[in-house]
Amino acid sequence: MTDRAPKKTDLMTEAERDAYHAEKMKKKKEARNRILATKTEEKGLVIVHTGKGKGKSTAAFGMVFRALGHGFTVGVVQFVKGAWGTGERTVLERFPDLVTIKAMGEGFTWDVADRQRDIAAARAAWDAAKVMIADERYKLILLDELNIVLRYDYLPLDEVLAVLHTKPRDTHVIITGRNAKDELIELADLVTEMTEIKHPFRAGVKAQKGIEF
Amino acid sequence: MTDRAPKKTDLMTEAERDAYHAEKMKKKKEARNRILATKTEEKGLVIVHTGKGKGKSTAAFGMVFRALGHGFTVGVVQFVKGAWGTGERTVLERFPDLVTIKAMGEGFTWDVADRQRDIAAARAAWDAAKVMIADERYKLILLDELNIVLRYDYLPLDEVLAVLHTKPRDTHVIITGRNAKDELIELADLVTEMTEIKHPFRAGVKAQKGIEF
């Protein structure tokens, strides 16, 4: 804030600034209410979290936890082994009646350079996902790291798009992972890109429990 | 995928593609291990989630839940009233021994165009935050929407930076909100920007329980 040009409010007295602020907030609120009045539709959304930054899966899990807090039935399918840790799992297990987890123990591993096994694991995870999506009891389904699997062409994109396109109207589906396919972004209702501005790895800090996993 | 140039792998047989993939994954893993070997430091991070996209607070809550899953003591200070809903709160209340919530009921409201009251509420929230930050029992502290308060100059930026700069070494602090101050980004260890690529509001879909709140 040292070299910036003076703001309008810099030249005001405190009382003038209060009045200026009151007027500005009033206008902001009115504008917001006008916008909200035009938003009338409710429907299940296809949500994509992509980009190279952090927070894609974490924000998706935040939505899962929020939905559980509302008492909704939630499904979680993990397409990449080890993408999330014991922290999430412990919390999910507090809601045994509401949450179904399909963590593909034999999933896409990065570690084992066995493409055919990874393809089979992706298929098994996707088949589990399809069953959940077809089941209208699920209000929210997280397909964690599905984008990675699609990126490597381990599942036919057309099949995934078709299932999402014909999902039950009220079901929300969240798909995470970097490099989301253009066709998926096209189909989605809500797409957020997480961009890394600064990362502690650059400063030699290692991954830590509770932050990275 | 219709108009793209052919990829190297398009011209391979399945067996060639498997071998190519195995080699690529092996190199990827080796590169990753080399990088990880250089990351040796553990310390509490200052983390900032900013940008105009969704997921800033949701990802922060995801980290809070993950930390709770690990049995860590967590503090949450809400600087903007109504920024989060009953979903998060219900889940947090499942961990009464681990989590302390300071939701400023009289906080920055947008609704009441009363700047002096908002400044007083910001100060009260910040004072509660300072007590938590000084208390080494807290492993993770979320200062939700603090960026909004700083943006409106409701708290002295220098004071906030000084407290973050001298926080206990092992404490993680997450700060959310759009328009993060440059000086805060400079101080932070990990900064992620959430960018809106596509939003259902544009298509007339309204905010929904479990997704927006």
Side-chain angles (χ1 to χ4, degrees):
Chain A
M1 302 288 282
T2 39
D3 289 331
R4 66 172 174 77
K7 283 194 298 193
K8 202 163 150 190
T9 47
D10 289 347
L11 308 167
M12 295 180 181
T13 64
E14 269 298 282
E16 282 169 343
R17 214 174 154 182
D18 288 349
Y20 172 80
H21 177 84
E23 184 57 28
K24 206 170 141 192
M25 286 291 127
K26 191 166 158 251
K27 281 193 185 142
K28 211 164 202 165
K29 194 187 167 190
E30 284 166 1
R32 204 179 169 188
N33 287 343
R34 272 196 303 275
I35 291 167
L36 285 173
T38 67
K39 312 303 172 191
T40 50
E41 198 190 350
E42 272 205 30
K43 66 161 191 170
L45 305 177
V46 175
I47 299 166
V48 175
H49 293 174
T50 192
K52 292 186 179 173
K54 299 189 64 65
K56 299 182 288 293
S57 291
T58 312
F61 271 103
M63 293 173 82
V64 164
F65 294 131
R66 184 193 293 151
L68 292 172
H70 284 301
F72 294 154
T73 298
V74 173
V76 178
V77 182
Q78 180 196 41
F79 282 86
V80 176
K81 189 181 176 180
W84 41 284
T86 53
E88 282 89 354
R89 183 171 280 276
T90 306
V91 181
L92 292 177
E93 285 168 357
R94 296 253 174 152
F95 299 87
D97 300 339
L98 293 178
V99 71
T100 310
I101 309 172
K102 298 279 177 195
M104 295 292 120
E106 293 295 315
F108 191 91
T109 54
W110 298 103
D111 279 356
V112 183
D114 182 340
R115 190 168 158 264
Q116 292 304 329
R117 208 182 83 173
D118 282 353
I119 289 174
R123 169 54 60 186
W126 173 242
D127 286 346
K130 277 196 293 189
V131 172
M132 283 184 190
I133 293 171
D135 183 341
E136 299 201 7
R137 284 173 301 179
Y138 289 96
K139 179 82 177 175
L140 179 72
I141 295 164
L142 166 56
L143 307 178
D144 196 41
E145 302 287 7
L146 175 60
N147 287 337
I148 308 272
V149 166
L150 291 174
R151 198 224 171 161
Y152 281 87
D153 299 326
Y154 283 6
L155 287 173
L157 179 61
D158 288 348
E159 184 184 335
V160 172
L161 295 174
V163 167
L164 293 173
H165 201 70
T166 56
K167 71 167 182 60
R169 194 178 182 287
D170 293 335
T171 309
H172 300 289
V173 179
I174 316 173
I175 295 160
T176 69
R178 54 174 73 185
N179 298 304
K181 293 273 187 186
D182 292 345
E183 295 87 338
L184 181 62
I185 290 175
E186 186 55 39
L187 179 147
D189 301 291
L190 171 60
V191 181
T192 305
E193 184 175 19
M194 278 68 171
T195 311
E196 178 185 300
I197 305 286
K198 204 172 178 185
H199 195 287
F201 257 37
R202 293 194 197 143
V205 177
K206 73 176 188 179
Q208 289 167 83
K209 191 157 85 172
I211 298 299
E212 306 276 339
F213 56 91
Chain B
M1 303 288 282
T2 39
D3 289 330
R4 63 172 175 78
K7 282 193 297 191
K8 202 162 150 188
T9 47
D10 290 347
L11 308 168
M12 295 180 183
T13 65
E14 269 298 284
E16 283 169 341
R17 214 175 154 180
D18 287 349
Y20 172 80
H21 177 83
E23 185 56 28
K24 205 170 139 192
M25 285 293 127
K26 189 165 160 255
K27 282 192 184 144
K28 212 164 201 162
K29 194 188 166 190
E30 285 165 0
R32 204 178 169 189
N33 287 344
R34 273 196 303 277
I35 291 169
L36 284 173
T38 66
K39 312 303 172 192
T40 51
E41 197 190 350
E42 271 207 29
K43 66 162 191 168
L45 305 177
V46 175
I47 299 165
V48 174
H49 293 174
T50 192
K52 292 187 178 173
K54 298 191 64 66
K56 298 182 289 292
S57 291
T58 311
F61 271 103
M63 294 175 82
V64 164
F65 294 131
R66 184 193 292 151
L68 292 172
H70 285 299
F72 296 154
T73 299
V74 173
V76 177
V77 182
Q78 179 195 44
F79 282 88
V80 175
K81 188 181 176 178
W84 40 286
T86 53
E88 282 89 354
R89 183 172 282 275
T90 306
V91 181
L92 292 178
E93 285 167 358
R94 297 256 173 148
F95 299 87
D97 299 340
L98 293 177
V99 70
T100 310
I101 308 171
K102 298 280 177 194
M104 295 291 120
E106 292 295 315
F108 192 91
T109 54
W110 298 102
D111 280 356
V112 182
D114 182 340
R115 191 170 157 264
Q116 293 302 330
R117 209 182 83 172
D118 282 353
I119 289 174
R123 167 56 58 185
W126 174 242
D127 286 345
K130 278 196 293 187
V131 171
M132 283 184 189
I133 294 171
D135 183 342
E136 300 200 6
R137 284 172 302 179
Y138 288 96
K139 179 82 177 174
L140 180 71
I141 295 164
L142 166 56
L143 306 179
D144 194 41
E145 303 287 6
L146 175 60
N147 287 337
I148 308 272
V149 166
L150 291 174
R151 199 224 169 159
Y152 281 87
D153 299 326
Y154 282 4
L155 286 173
L157 178 61
D158 289 347
E159 183 184 335
V160 172
L161 295 174
V163 167
L164 293 173
H165 201 69
T166 57
K167 72 168 182 58
R169 194 177 181 287
D170 294 335
T171 309
H172 301 289
V173 179
I174 316 173
I175 295 160
T176 70
R178 52 174 75 185
N179 298 303
K181 293 273 186 185
D182 292 345
E183 295 88 339
L184 180 63
I185 290 175
E186 185 57 38
L187 179 147
D189 300 291
L190 171 59
V191 181
T192 305
E193 184 174 21
M194 277 70 170
T195 311
E196 178 186 299
I197 305 287
K198 205 169 175 185
H199 194 288
F201 256 37
R202 292 194 198 143
V205 177
K206 73 176 186 179
Q208 289 167 81
K209 191 157 85 172
I211 297 298
E212 306 276 339
F213 56 91

Short mmCIF file of all heavy atoms in Angstrom, two decimals, chain A residues 44-75:
data_model
loop_
_atom_site.label_atom_id
_atom_site.label_comp_id
_atom_site.label_asym_id
_atom_site.label_seq_id
_atom_site.Cartn_x
_atom_site.Cartn_y
_atom_site.Cartn_z
N GLY A 44 -29.67 -30.60 -9.65
CA GLY A 44 -28.36 -31.18 -9.36
C GLY A 44 -27.34 -30.67 -10.35
O GLY A 44 -27.61 -30.59 -11.55
N LEU A 45 -26.16 -30.33 -9.85
CA LEU A 45 -25.14 -29.74 -10.69
C LEU A 45 -24.02 -30.74 -10.99
O LEU A 45 -23.72 -31.61 -10.17
CB LEU A 45 -24.51 -28.53 -9.99
CG LEU A 45 -25.47 -27.42 -9.53
CD1 LEU A 45 -24.68 -26.34 -8.79
CD2 LEU A 45 -26.22 -26.82 -10.71
N VAL A 46 -23.42 -30.59 -12.14
CA VAL A 46 -22.15 -31.26 -12.42
C VAL A 46 -21.06 -30.21 -12.16
O VAL A 46 -21.05 -29.15 -12.79
CB VAL A 46 -22.07 -31.79 -13.87
CG1 VAL A 46 -20.67 -32.36 -14.14
CG2 VAL A 46 -23.13 -32.85 -14.11
N ILE A 47 -20.21 -30.51 -11.19
CA ILE A 47 -19.21 -29.56 -10.72
C ILE A 47 -17.82 -30.11 -11.00
O ILE A 47 -17.55 -31.28 -10.74
CB ILE A 47 -19.38 -29.34 -9.20
CG1 ILE A 47 -20.78 -28.77 -8.91
CG2 ILE A 47 -18.29 -28.45 -8.63
CD1 ILE A 47 -21.18 -28.83 -7.45
N VAL A 48 -16.96 -29.28 -11.55
CA VAL A 48 -15.59 -29.72 -11.85
C VAL A 48 -14.59 -28.83 -11.12
O VAL A 48 -14.70 -27.60 -11.18
CB VAL A 48 -15.32 -29.68 -13.38
CG1 VAL A 48 -13.86 -30.02 -13.69
CG2 VAL A 48 -16.25 -30.64 -14.12
N HIS A 49 -13.66 -29.45 -10.41
CA HIS A 49 -12.54 -28.72 -9.81
C HIS A 49 -11.28 -29.16 -10.55
O HIS A 49 -10.88 -30.32 -10.47
CB HIS A 49 -12.37 -29.09 -8.33
CG HIS A 49 -13.49 -28.62 -7.46
ND1 HIS A 49 -13.58 -28.95 -6.14
CD2 HIS A 49 -14.56 -27.84 -7.72
CE1 HIS A 49 -14.67 -28.41 -5.62
NE2 HIS A 49 -15.29 -27.73 -6.56
N THR A 50 -10.66 -28.23 -11.26
CA THR A 50 -9.47 -28.60 -12.01
C THR A 50 -8.36 -27.57 -11.81
O THR A 50 -8.46 -26.71 -10.92
CB THR A 50 -9.84 -28.82 -13.51
OG1 THR A 50 -8.75 -29.43 -14.17
CG2 THR A 50 -10.24 -27.53 -14.20
N GLY A 51 -7.30 -27.66 -12.58
CA GLY A 51 -6.16 -26.75 -12.42
C GLY A 51 -5.02 -27.43 -11.68
O GLY A 51 -5.20 -28.49 -11.09
N LYS A 52 -3.87 -26.77 -11.71
CA LYS A 52 -2.67 -27.37 -11.11
C LYS A 52 -2.51 -27.04 -9.63
O LYS A 52 -1.62 -27.56 -8.98
CB LYS A 52 -1.42 -26.90 -11.88
CG LYS A 52 -1.39 -27.46 -13.29
CD LYS A 52 -0.09 -27.12 -14.01
CE LYS A 52 -0.12 -27.74 -15.40
NZ LYS A 52 1.01 -27.34 -16.23
N GLY A 53 -3.33 -26.13 -9.13
CA GLY A 53 -3.19 -25.72 -7.74
C GLY A 53 -3.78 -26.73 -6.77
O GLY A 53 -4.40 -27.73 -7.16
N LYS A 54 -3.60 -26.46 -5.50
CA LYS A 54 -4.13 -27.32 -4.47
C LYS A 54 -5.61 -27.00 -4.24
O LYS A 54 -6.13 -26.03 -4.73
CB LYS A 54 -3.35 -27.13 -3.17
CG LYS A 54 -1.88 -27.49 -3.34
CD LYS A 54 -1.17 -27.50 -2.01
CE LYS A 54 -1.72 -28.56 -1.10
NZ LYS A 54 -1.49 -29.93 -1.60
N GLY A 55 -6.27 -27.88 -3.47
CA GLY A 55 -7.62 -27.56 -3.04
C GLY A 55 -8.73 -28.19 -3.87
O GLY A 55 -9.89 -28.05 -3.52
N LYS A 56 -8.38 -28.88 -4.96
CA LYS A 56 -9.43 -29.47 -5.79
C LYS A 56 -10.20 -30.55 -5.02
O LYS A 56 -11.42 -30.49 -4.90
CB LYS A 56 -8.82 -30.10 -7.06
CG LYS A 56 -8.09 -29.11 -7.94
CD LYS A 56 -7.54 -29.75 -9.20
CE LYS A 56 -6.36 -30.66 -9.00
NZ LYS A 56 -5.13 -29.99 -8.55
N SER A 57 -9.47 -31.53 -4.51
CA SER A 57 -10.12 -32.60 -3.74
C SER A 57 -10.56 -32.08 -2.37
O SER A 57 -11.61 -32.47 -1.87
CB SER A 57 -9.18 -33.79 -3.55
OG SER A 57 -8.96 -34.43 -4.79
N THR A 58 -9.75 -31.21 -1.79
CA THR A 58 -10.06 -30.71 -0.45
C THR A 58 -11.38 -29.94 -0.46
O THR A 58 -12.21 -30.10 0.43
CB THR A 58 -8.91 -29.82 0.06
OG1 THR A 58 -7.68 -30.51 -0.15
CG2 THR A 58 -9.07 -29.53 1.54
N ALA A 59 -11.58 -29.10 -1.47
CA ALA A 59 -12.84 -28.37 -1.56
C ALA A 59 -14.00 -29.33 -1.83
O ALA A 59 -15.10 -29.15 -1.31
CB ALA A 59 -12.77 -27.31 -2.66
N ALA A 60 -13.74 -30.36 -2.61
CA ALA A 60 -14.78 -31.35 -2.88
C ALA A 60 -15.16 -32.08 -1.58
O ALA A 60 -16.34 -32.28 -1.29
CB ALA A 60 -14.31 -32.35 -3.94
N PHE A 61 -14.15 -32.43 -0.79
CA PHE A 61 -14.44 -33.06 0.50
C PHE A 61 -15.15 -32.08 1.42
O PHE A 61 -16.02 -32.48 2.20
CB PHE A 61 -13.16 -33.58 1.15
CG PHE A 61 -12.85 -34.99 0.74
CD1 PHE A 61 -11.88 -35.27 -0.19
CD2 PHE A 61 -13.58 -36.04 1.27
CE1 PHE A 61 -11.63 -36.57 -0.60
CE2 PHE A 61 -13.34 -37.34 0.88
CZ PHE A 61 -12.36 -37.61 -0.06
N GLY A 62 -14.81 -30.82 1.34
CA GLY A 62 -15.54 -29.81 2.12
C GLY A 62 -17.02 -29.84 1.77
O GLY A 62 -17.88 -29.74 2.64
N MET A 63 -17.34 -29.99 0.48
CA MET A 63 -18.75 -30.07 0.05
C MET A 63 -19.38 -31.36 0.54
O MET A 63 -20.55 -31.38 0.92
CB MET A 63 -18.83 -29.97 -1.47
CG MET A 63 -18.42 -28.61 -1.98
SD MET A 63 -18.33 -28.54 -3.79
CE MET A 63 -20.05 -28.27 -4.15
N VAL A 64 -18.61 -32.44 0.52
CA VAL A 64 -19.12 -33.72 1.03
C VAL A 64 -19.48 -33.59 2.51
O VAL A 64 -20.57 -33.98 2.93
CB VAL A 64 -18.06 -34.84 0.83
CG1 VAL A 64 -18.39 -36.07 1.67
CG2 VAL A 64 -17.98 -35.23 -0.65
N PHE A 65 -18.58 -32.98 3.28
CA PHE A 65 -18.83 -32.85 4.71
C PHE A 65 -20.03 -31.94 4.96
O PHE A 65 -20.85 -32.20 5.83
CB PHE A 65 -17.59 -32.31 5.43
CG PHE A 65 -16.44 -33.27 5.40
CD1 PHE A 65 -15.18 -32.87 5.01
CD2 PHE A 65 -16.62 -34.60 5.75
CE1 PHE A 65 -14.11 -33.77 4.97
CE2 PHE A 65 -15.57 -35.51 5.72
CZ PHE A 65 -14.32 -35.08 5.32
N ARG A 66 -20.12 -30.88 4.19
CA ARG A 66 -21.25 -29.96 4.33
C ARG A 66 -22.56 -30.70 4.04
O ARG A 66 -23.54 -30.57 4.78
CB ARG A 66 -21.08 -28.80 3.35
CG ARG A 66 -22.15 -27.74 3.47
CD ARG A 66 -22.09 -26.81 2.29
NE ARG A 66 -20.88 -26.01 2.28
CZ ARG A 66 -20.29 -25.55 1.19
NH1 ARG A 66 -20.78 -25.82 0.00
NH2 ARG A 66 -19.21 -24.82 1.27
N ALA A 67 -22.56 -31.50 2.98
CA ALA A 67 -23.77 -32.27 2.63
C ALA A 67 -24.11 -33.26 3.75
O ALA A 67 -25.29 -33.43 4.11
CB ALA A 67 -23.55 -33.01 1.31
N LEU A 68 -23.09 -33.90 4.32
CA LEU A 68 -23.33 -34.82 5.44
C LEU A 68 -23.93 -34.05 6.62
O LEU A 68 -24.82 -34.55 7.31
CB LEU A 68 -22.02 -35.50 5.85
CG LEU A 68 -21.45 -36.48 4.82
CD1 LEU A 68 -20.06 -36.95 5.26
CD2 LEU A 68 -22.37 -37.68 4.64
N GLY A 69 -23.43 -32.84 6.83
CA GLY A 69 -23.97 -31.99 7.89
C GLY A 69 -25.45 -31.71 7.70
O GLY A 69 -26.20 -31.52 8.66
N HIS A 70 -25.87 -31.66 6.44
CA HIS A 70 -27.30 -31.45 6.13
C HIS A 70 -28.09 -32.76 6.20
O HIS A 70 -29.30 -32.75 5.97
CB HIS A 70 -27.46 -30.85 4.73
CG HIS A 70 -27.12 -29.39 4.66
ND1 HIS A 70 -27.77 -28.43 5.40
CD2 HIS A 70 -26.18 -28.72 3.93
CE1 HIS A 70 -27.26 -27.23 5.12
NE2 HIS A 70 -26.29 -27.39 4.24
N GLY A 71 -27.38 -33.87 6.44
CA GLY A 71 -28.07 -35.16 6.52
C GLY A 71 -28.31 -35.81 5.16
O GLY A 71 -29.13 -36.72 5.04
N PHE A 72 -27.59 -35.35 4.15
CA PHE A 72 -27.76 -35.94 2.81
C PHE A 72 -26.96 -37.25 2.69
O PHE A 72 -25.93 -37.41 3.32
CB PHE A 72 -27.24 -34.98 1.73
CG PHE A 72 -28.02 -33.70 1.60
CD1 PHE A 72 -27.42 -32.55 1.10
CD2 PHE A 72 -29.36 -33.63 1.99
CE1 PHE A 72 -28.13 -31.36 0.98
CE2 PHE A 72 -30.07 -32.44 1.86
CZ PHE A 72 -29.46 -31.31 1.36
N THR A 73 -27.44 -38.12 1.81
CA THR A 73 -26.71 -39.34 1.48
C THR A 73 -25.65 -39.01 0.42
O THR A 73 -25.96 -38.35 -0.58
CB THR A 73 -27.68 -40.41 0.94
OG1 THR A 73 -28.62 -40.71 1.98
CG2 THR A 73 -26.94 -41.69 0.56
N VAL A 74 -24.44 -39.45 0.65
CA VAL A 74 -23.30 -39.05 -0.18
C VAL A 74 -22.50 -40.28 -0.60
O VAL A 74 -22.34 -41.22 0.17
CB VAL A 74 -22.39 -38.08 0.61
CG1 VAL A 74 -21.11 -37.77 -0.15
CG2 VAL A 74 -23.13 -36.80 0.95
N GLY A 75 -22.02 -40.27 -1.83
CA GLY A 75 -21.13 -41.32 -2.31
C GLY A 75 -19.78 -40.75 -2.69
O GLY A 75 -19.70 -39.64 -3.22
#
